[in-house]
Amino acid sequence: MSWRARSLLRRAVNAAIMLGIVATALFPILWGLSTSLKPTERILEYPPLLVPDQPTLAHYRMLWETGIGRPILNSAIVSAATVALCLVLGSLAGYALARFAFRGKQGVMLAIVAVMSIPLPSVLVPTFTFLVNLDLNDSLIGLVLLYTAYQLPITVWILYGYFRTVPEQIEQAAMIDGYGRLAVLRKIVLPLSGPGLVAAGLFVLTFAWNDFVVAVVMSSSESVRTLPVAIYHYLGFFGRDWGPLTAAAMVSIVPVIGVFVVFQRYFLSGMTGGSVKG
Amino acid sequence: MTGVRFSGVSKRFGAVAALDSLDLAIEAGEFVSLLGPSGSGKSTTLNLLAGLIDADAGEIRIGERVVNDLPPDQRDLAMVFQNYALYPHMTVFENVAFPLRARGRSAAEAEIEARVKRVAGMLGVTELLARYPRELSGGQQQRVALGRAMVREPKVFLLDEPLSNLDARLRIRMRRDIKALHEQIRSTIVYVTHDQAEAMTLSTRIAVFDKGRLQQFDAPEAIYNRPANVFVANFVGEREIALLAGRVERDGADARFHGAGYALLLTGAGARLAPAAGRAATIGVRAEAVAVSADGPGAPATVAMTELSGPDRIVYARIAGGPEIACRAEPRSTFASGQDVRLRFDPERLHAFDPGTTLSLIP
């Protein structure tokens, strides 16, 4: 076989493998989308159709009428507040770790990594009693605080890594130009850390938006239900009513996909932490 | 205008003494170069003055104010960094205006604009104000960095090897511009460089550093003509100084030098080398202190190699029985390798050092 044919073959094999991975990952989602667009009586028909021949938005209309708006709003509030809180606190902490030498810094860094490896379910019960004591259970504020606590370590870690790639001399120049540390962080470091902020923000956002376990444990009233919990309740309420269930799932997926599509460029460069800056 | 004074300032990095008990007083309006190889303490000195690092001991004053405990933003300095440190997310205008917008000195927008434009005009970057730093050439970035430092009209300017990233020609042109700038604004300038030619051309005084210690602080002429020790003599000057170890004997108006396996008659050097007479000494000979000719009086030597350095021809000649030294000759002269020549030493340009302490023996 000539080298040309070999290289062609290798590319074909690569493409086939990647296509397989993509198909495996996307299939359940596409199947869900297809189901959500089918009339109820045709969802379970055999043989199944991937592309519905009579698409309908009936299930989405029904979601709206049964009040999906409130959980969407709750999820949006909780996610936005968590992202904002994580980025503000994470920037300050990450900057301190990136730029200051202080006693116990190694310990703090170690603790951050260690905390990240604690499985969430193992702390659910203690956090619940803790929240009850603070009278913050069954409230959006309680959820925001918990999500922030869970996601702050990874946020600090990502931002710490990114801040270290900002040339220190630029900061020194700004200090000599008359700016204190906080002003330098705000006017120089953060504007130059867009990719890092996006990467950290997306991490936090996907966690807060998708979280089911914490939300279902910490909240009981309908008024503080987040979207994943609401979807779960559709499952219970309608039995095996696949149409509204998949439609609700689609509704919850779309914003995250949208955000990723908008920010994917930054997300990638943020994850590589400036190692390929330029 | 404001002077700067270091009194007994020391700084260690781990086990390394980056700066050892520095005493240095810079007068208001002076242009002082801190000259030395890397790791000599010159950049440490500048960073201490800027407040980017803290001194372990001693006192630093800017004007009458002790600044040891002041953060950089309160020291009222301006600094140009080696890599310019322009803010990549701001336009040239915003970069230059940035110091004017700092808290506590924020001027009116109209005034900011007027001042930025004036500085840009002085530096010839007016057409670049809307561009971003990445869209500028190295020389243009350099000018913008200078402009950002000038716009505030600070009392003291710090320049950290500002020309070292430019190509050779541009460097010489910017050297001129910086000198003109100093003559125009008359601020105190502290200039860090490892390029002795830059220090010579720009400074009113030069502080030569080595291994964390100040070696000599004097006017360029004095540094060049009366180096305090072997290090200064060797570091300053176009090329390395030849150091000949041996003994000096006075012989009336002349002096005789006895090296290992050779002797030189240094005509007319009796008076100059008198302090070194009758003892072991290291004689320092720069290329410009030696005239080379095909015949006539002088010490016999053999040409090893020649090179043309533009205005001069440099001849490397091996003294009979002794070491090789560089000599300066007319560019039109022709010497072939292996040719026998005569060397004559200019007595006023000879230096003598103590072989132990390396200090100059000539006052």
Side-chain angles (χ1 to χ4, degrees):
Chain A
M1 216 187 315
S2 78
W3 66 268
R4 204 178 287 275
R6 260 208 309 264
S7 120
L8 216 65
L9 181 72
R10 194 158 70 192
R11 271 159 62 184
V13 169
N14 273 347
I17 291 174
M18 284 189 275
L19 261 179
I21 293 173
V22 169
T24 316
L26 281 186
F27 180 75
I29 297 170
L30 290 179
W31 186 245
L33 177 66
S34 152
T35 303
S36 75
L37 294 173
K38 287 177 185 169
T40 312
E41 63 278 9
R42 304 204 46 196
I43 288 175
L44 293 175
E45 80 181 353
Y46 188 86
L49 283 176
L50 187 53
V51 181
D53 49 4
Q54 298 168 315
T56 167
L57 291 174
H59 303 306
Y60 291 90
R61 193 176 314 121
M62 177 191 175
L63 283 184
W64 187 250
E65 282 159 3
T66 54
I68 191 96
R70 185 62 201 243
I72 290 180
L73 187 66
N74 284 345
S75 267
I77 291 172
V78 169
S79 304
T82 307
V83 169
L85 206 55
C86 275
L87 289 186
V88 170
L89 296 177
S91 296
L92 294 171
Y95 185 73
L97 288 172
R99 285 294 185 252
F100 299 130
F102 53 87
R103 200 180 293 273
K105 178 168 158 178
Q106 290 303 320
V108 171
M109 309 243 276
L110 200 67
I112 288 173
V113 179
V115 163
M116 274 193 268
S117 58
I118 297 177
L120 220 172
S122 70
V123 294
L124 268 185
V125 175
T127 11
F128 178 72
T129 49
F130 182 56
L131 272 199
V132 169
N133 286 338
L134 292 174
D135 212 12
L136 283 175
N137 64 315
D138 205 16
S139 73
L140 294 183
I141 294 178
L143 275 186
V144 169
L145 292 179
L146 273 190
Y147 289 168
T148 305
Y150 294 141
Q151 291 300 297
L152 201 49
I154 182 83
T155 312
V156 171
W157 199 254
I158 292 175
L159 292 179
Y160 158 76
Y162 205 86
F163 289 162
R164 276 161 47 107
T165 68
V166 174
E168 203 169 358
Q169 290 210 319
I170 293 184
E171 291 178 40
Q172 296 177 337
M175 284 192 270
I176 289 171
D177 280 346
Y179 292 81
R181 276 282 178 187
L182 274 180
V184 169
L185 178 61
R186 200 161 49 85
K187 298 198 176 222
I188 304 294
V189 179
L190 290 182
L192 292 177
S193 300
L197 291 170
V198 167
L202 285 179
F203 254 103
V204 177
L205 177 70
T206 43
F207 175 85
W209 182 264
N210 290 340
D211 168 71
F212 169 73
V213 180
V214 180
V216 83
V217 170
M218 305 297 163
S219 57
S220 44
S221 12
E222 206 166 326
S223 63
V224 298
R225 237 174 234 170
T226 57
L227 191 51
V229 180
I231 295 173
Y232 172 72
H233 281 271
Y234 277 106
L235 185 66
F237 192 75
F238 293 100
R240 288 289 170 271
D241 203 348
W242 292 108
L245 185 68
T246 49
M250 289 306 121
V251 167
S252 87
I253 287 174
V254 167
V256 180
I257 292 182
V259 169
F260 263 89
V261 167
V262 172
F263 287 113
Q264 62 174 339
R265 200 162 53 90
Y266 297 100
F267 181 66
L268 280 180
S269 62
M271 288 309 292
T272 52
S275 55
V276 284
K277 221 172 160 55
Chain B
M1 273 195 292
T2 313
V4 169
R5 181 182 290 272
F6 290 82
S7 316
V9 176
S10 295
K11 176 70 186 174
R12 304 185 73 81
F13 292 116
V16 184
L19 198 63
D20 190 5
S21 188
L22 172 68
D23 292 302
L24 183 69
I26 297 169
E27 306 292 329
E30 254 194 308
F31 193 127
V32 168
S33 290
L34 310 182
L35 176 67
S38 34
S40 61
K42 58 187 196 303
S43 293
T44 305
T45 306
L46 195 75
N47 289 339
L48 284 166
L49 181 55
L52 300 176
I53 52 178
D54 292 324
D56 296 337
E59 192 181 80
I60 304 169
R61 282 173 186 271
I62 298 175
E64 287 311 304
R65 217 159 43 133
V66 177
V67 297
N68 285 52
D69 295 325
L70 282 186
D73 52 306
Q74 291 168 30
R75 295 194 180 191
D76 196 16
L77 306 160
M79 182 156 167
V80 177
F81 288 81
Q82 181 171 5
N83 57 11
Y84 318 139
L86 296 177
Y87 309 123
H89 58 301
M90 299 183 194
T91 62
V92 168
F93 181 92
E94 287 163 340
N95 263 283
V96 178
F98 194 67
L100 298 176
R101 293 193 166 132
R103 201 167 49 144
R105 61 168 93 98
S106 36
E109 244 352 88
E111 194 197 332
I112 290 179
E113 188 162 337
R115 284 171 73 172
V116 171
K117 290 226 163 107
R118 201 182 62 213
V119 167
M122 275 170 76
L123 293 169
V125 294
T126 311
E127 317 82 73
L128 307 176
L129 284 174
R131 295 215 204 155
Y132 284 90
R134 62 175 174 275
E135 299 164 343
L136 305 180
S137 70
Q140 291 168 335
Q141 291 183 2
Q142 168 67 68
R143 283 165 191 279
V144 173
L146 267 176
R148 189 176 66 189
M150 281 164 57
V151 75
R152 227 174 66 211
E153 292 161 13
K155 300 191 182 101
V156 182
F157 262 108
L158 311 181
L159 292 97
D160 186 6
E161 310 221 8
L163 305 185
S164 60
N165 288 353
L166 302 178
D167 64 61
R169 248 166 227 292
L170 192 54
R171 201 180 308 166
I172 289 173
R173 203 159 71 219
M174 288 301 297
R175 219 194 259 172
R176 226 193 90 102
D177 289 358
I178 288 178
K179 190 160 188 167
L181 181 71
H182 178 240
E183 258 146 44
Q184 196 173 341
I185 61 177
R186 288 274 156 217
S187 297
T188 310
I189 295 186
V190 183
Y191 187 100
V192 164
T193 181
H194 62 261
D195 181 339
Q196 54 91 24
E198 249 172 46
M200 286 284 175
T201 47
L202 288 169
S203 321
T204 49
R205 282 197 288 173
I206 300 176
V208 185
F209 285 81
D210 184 41
K211 300 197 181 84
R213 285 179 167 278
L214 178 62
Q215 305 291 321
Q216 190 173 1
F217 182 41
D218 221 327
E221 298 77 22
I223 295 272
Y224 185 75
N225 294 324
R226 294 190 301 279
N229 56 32
V230 169
F231 176 81
V232 175
N234 202 20
F235 198 77
V236 172
E238 205 61 33
R239 47 177 56 69
E240 273 188 306
I241 193 167
L243 295 168
L244 313 176
R247 288 183 68 82
V248 175
E249 302 295 347
R250 185 161 183 180
D251 184 359
D254 304 336
R256 284 180 194 282
F257 176 77
H258 301 281
Y262 65 101
L264 295 173
L265 175 66
L266 304 171
T267 317
R272 178 156 172 98
L273 295 184
R279 56 170 293 172
T282 302
I283 300 294
V285 187
R286 288 207 178 99
E288 46 269 45
V290 193
V292 55
S293 56
D295 42 29
T302 315
V303 174
M305 202 170 81
T306 69
E307 64 184 35
L308 187 65
S309 77
D312 301 308
R313 183 176 294 281
I314 299 299
V315 176
Y316 294 92
R318 181 168 297 282
I319 297 168
E324 192 176 290
I325 64 173
C327 331
R328 205 159 75 173
E330 272 285 294
R332 278 160 304 177
S333 59
T334 49
F335 292 99
S337 295
Q339 184 182 345
D340 287 330
V341 290
R342 301 289 164 149
L343 307 180
R344 283 191 317 279
F345 297 88
D346 178 351
E348 287 313 305
R349 286 172 167 179
L350 292 175
H351 302 282
F353 304 98
D354 184 302
T357 64
T358 79
L359 293 177
S360 175
L361 295 169
I362 298 171

